[in-house]
């Protein structure tokens, strides 16, 4: 469903929850300018329609001892739908893989991985990832630092698109 089909109140609700998913419904209603009961109904409808997939805490991985972050670029031997799906299933089962994206071009998948240390990541790389069925090659890049990690969508752009459509 297109974001343009949402009204201004729905978009405000999404923007506010993206910024702070822990606020109470009363506070959310106040911020978007409606009363609490219709606000709650709208939030539930946004959840049911799939606009809101869940609520998560923003955990600092380094504070929990995950000092290593790596991007792994994976090429597969076969790109049949069955083989692509099988690889995605493996990725869901590997705890160190936090994100898995299928790409077009030379690389089939890019994985965002976290690990407590380099030896742990190396074990995962050699014993799991490169040893997985259908994996042709893996290239890795160690993250030195992160300049930006912004979850969600840019709501200023959503509002510009809605104004252009409306």
């Amino acid at each position: 469903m297109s974001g343009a089909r949402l009204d201004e109140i729905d978009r405000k609700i999404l923007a506010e929850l993206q910024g702070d998913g822990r606020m109470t419904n009363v506070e959310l209603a106040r911020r978007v300018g409606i009363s609490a009961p219709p606000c709650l109904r709208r939030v539930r409808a946004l959840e049911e329609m799939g606009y809101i997939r869940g609520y998560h805490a923003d955990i600092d991985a380094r504070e929990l001892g995950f000092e290593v972050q790596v991007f792994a670029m994976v090429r597969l031997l076969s790109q049949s739908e069955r083989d692509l799906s099988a690889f995605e299933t493996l990725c869901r089962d590997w705890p160190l893989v936090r994100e898995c994206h299928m790409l077009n071009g030379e690389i089939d998948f890019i994985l965002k991985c976290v690990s407590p240390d380099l030896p742990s990541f190396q074990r995962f790389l050699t014993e799991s990832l490169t040893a997985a069925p259908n994996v042709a090659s893996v290239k890795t890049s160690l993250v030195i630092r992160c300049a930006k990690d912004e979850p969600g969508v840019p709501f200023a752009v959503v509002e510009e698109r809605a104004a252009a459509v409306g």
Side-chain angles (χ1 to χ4, degrees), residues 45-86:
L46 290 166
E47 291 169 348
E48 289 172 11
M49 290 186 290
Y51 286 99
I52 299 172
R53 295 186 307 192
Y55 301 89
H56 311 277
D58 186 5
I59 306 297
D60 187 331
R62 288 187 188 264
E63 287 295 321
L64 289 172
F66 289 87
E67 297 293 327
V68 175
Q69 184 174 350
V70 177
F71 286 95
M73 284 75 57
V74 180
R75 268 190 344 97
L76 301 180
L77 294 169
S78 165
Q79 290 78 25
S80 72
E81 186 56 40
R82 192 174 120 260
D83 291 330
L84 294 169
S85 294

Side-chain angles (χ1 to χ4, degrees), residues 99-159:
E99 295 180 28
C100 171
H101 303 272
M102 186 189 320
L103 306 176
N104 71 336
E106 289 184 37
I107 302 300
D108 295 309
F109 288 93
I110 188 164
L111 311 179
K112 178 181 173 185
C113 306
V114 297
S115 179
D117 51 47
L118 280 172
S120 298
F121 179 75
Q122 185 176 359
R123 267 191 311 282
F124 164 71
L125 180 65
T126 58
E127 296 173 11
S128 298
L129 184 53
T130 58
N134 196 35
V135 171
S137 68
V138 178
K139 293 182 181 181
T140 59
S141 292
L142 180 67
V143 174
I144 303 301
R145 72 174 170 227
C146 177
K148 184 175 183 178
D149 182 6
E150 191 83 24
V153 298
F155 269 93
V157 174
V158 172
E159 289 304 319

Side-chain angles (χ1 to χ4, degrees), residues 13 15-17 19-29 31:
I13 288 171
E16 290 294 336
L17 288 175
D20 179 6
R22 288 189 60 170
M23 77 177 76
T24 65
N25 182 60
V26 171
E27 175 61 16
L28 177 60
R31 288 187 188 187

Side-chain angles (χ1 to χ4, degrees), residues 34-48:
I34 61 176
S35 63
C39 184
L40 185 58
R41 282 193 297 275
R42 284 174 176 257
V43 169
R44 288 190 176 138
L46 290 166
E47 291 169 348
E48 289 172 11

